Amino acid sequence: MDCLFCKIINGEIPSNKIYEDEKIIAFYDINPEAKIHFLVVPKTHICCADKIDGSNSHLIAYIFEKIPELAKKSGITNGYRIINNCGEDSCQSVKHIHFHVLGGEKLPEHIR
Ligand code: AMP
Ligand code: ZN
């Protein structure tokens, strides 16, 4: 499958990794939009939040359990924003579900 994040997961494309286990990988965004900006990605290919169901929601729950630990590990100490883009109108550019974690500075109050 021609999926950028599957290629990062299987090592075909390098990434600046923060964390990896059997279920997920977390790496810094190549084009950061905050002082600290990383992505948390399940190793299972799920295209987007629209396809979360009873068969894969445990992976999403696991990601949210891990985020506090990963935020701390990345140096975030004062709060963060979690973003998920889903589908065309959100401008999701990589069609493998991922959660952006942004922090390390005061973020703009509103995002569109
Ligand atoms: P989205 O627009 O929500 O699909 O987010 C995709 C994100 O992946 C963007 O913030 C990109 O900067 C990021 N990205 C694209 N290619 C890479 C890469 N090779 N390594 C790390 N992050 C990437
Ligand atoms: Zn994929």
Side-chain angles (χ1 to χ4, degrees):
M1 198 192 316
D2 196 27
C3 169
L4 177 65
F5 288 173
C6 281
K7 285 181 181 160
I8 286 179
I9 289 159
N10 71 29
E12 269 179 76
I13 292 176
S15 68
N16 191 358
K17 215 182 291 175
I18 302 174
Y19 177 81
E20 181 172 17
D21 65 21
E22 71 285 3
K23 295 192 196 79
I24 64 169
I25 186 169
F27 51 87
Y28 288 103
D29 197 292
I30 207 169
N31 185 23
E33 291 186 24
K35 271 200 185 131
I36 301 173
H37 180 181
F38 63 89
L39 305 173
V40 191
V41 185
K43 288 190 168 176
T44 303
H45 183 94
I46 303 164
C47 75
C48 60
D50 210 37
K51 298 293 181 207
I52 297 171
D53 61 23
S55 75
N56 57 31
S57 59
H58 63 285
L59 293 170
I60 309 304
Y62 184 73
I63 283 173
F64 276 79
E65 285 173 34
K66 278 286 172 190
I67 282 176
E69 173 188 326
L70 301 179
K72 207 169 287 171
K73 193 170 181 187
S74 74
I76 293 176
T77 57
N78 199 35
Y80 47 86
R81 182 173 290 158
I82 303 170
I83 295 175
N84 170 257
N85 293 315
C86 175
E88 288 310 311
D89 280 359
S90 75
C91 300
Q92 181 184 2
S93 60
V94 180
K95 307 293 193 275
H96 180 136
I97 194 169
H98 53 282
F99 295 87
H100 297 255
V101 179
L102 300 107
E105 64 180 321
K106 185 81 175 171
L107 301 170
E109 202 171 339
H110 297 290
I111 52 147
R112 279 182 50 90

